[in-house]
């Protein structure tokens, strides 16, 4: 019996499934009017989510809130930035 879920085939013809499957995620730049959506794999998202102070933003978007930040990874689909968290 089939589950009915079909692996996604990328433009290059490679089947993507599991941790390599693309999913959408909202840009984390923090701009109140930003509605950008980014395509990331589960593996890419997992890597960023497990690193404190790292956010995924659309290329060209800068993190808002007046905190300092630096680019730690760039792809054609997204940029990972490390943001200095506010000290209390």
């Amino acid at each position: 019996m089939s589950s009915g879920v079909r692996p996604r085939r990328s433009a290059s013809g490679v089947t993507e499934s599991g941790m390599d499957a693309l999913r959408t995620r909202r840009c984390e730049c923090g701009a109140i009017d930003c509605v950008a959506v980014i395509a990331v794999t589960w593996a890419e998202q997992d890597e960023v989510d497990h690193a404190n102070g790292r956010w995924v933003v659309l290329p060209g978007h800068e993190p808002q809130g007046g905190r300092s930040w630096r680019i730690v990874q760039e792809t054609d689909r997204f940029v990972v930035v490390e943001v200095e968290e506010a000290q209390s």
Side-chain angles (χ1 to χ4, degrees):
M1 181 174 183
S2 172
S3 67
V5 177
R6 297 178 59 193
R8 191 173 102 87
R9 189 169 294 275
S10 71
S12 64
V14 176
T15 299
E16 297 176 349
S17 62
M19 295 296 279
D20 294 326
L22 286 174
R23 60 175 305 225
T24 57
R25 176 178 183 156
R26 291 204 50 205
C27 177
E28 298 177 331
C29 70
I32 198 155
D33 59 344
C34 180
V35 294
V37 176
I38 304 164
V40 297
T41 67
W42 285 101
E44 291 164 339
Q45 178 177 327
D46 190 53
E47 183 178 333
V48 172
D49 286 347
H50 286 95
N52 286 336
R54 292 195 176 178
W55 300 350
V56 177
V57 299
L58 193 68
H61 287 214
E62 294 182 0
Q64 304 297 303
R67 295 179 252 180
S68 61
W69 57 275
R70 67 183 180 93
I71 295 173
V72 294
Q73 179 185 358
E74 290 185 80
T75 75
D76 59 334
R77 293 177 280 117
F78 61 87
V79 176
V80 177
V81 295
E82 188 169 76
V83 177
E84 183 179 302
E85 297 298 328
Q87 300 292 319
S88 45

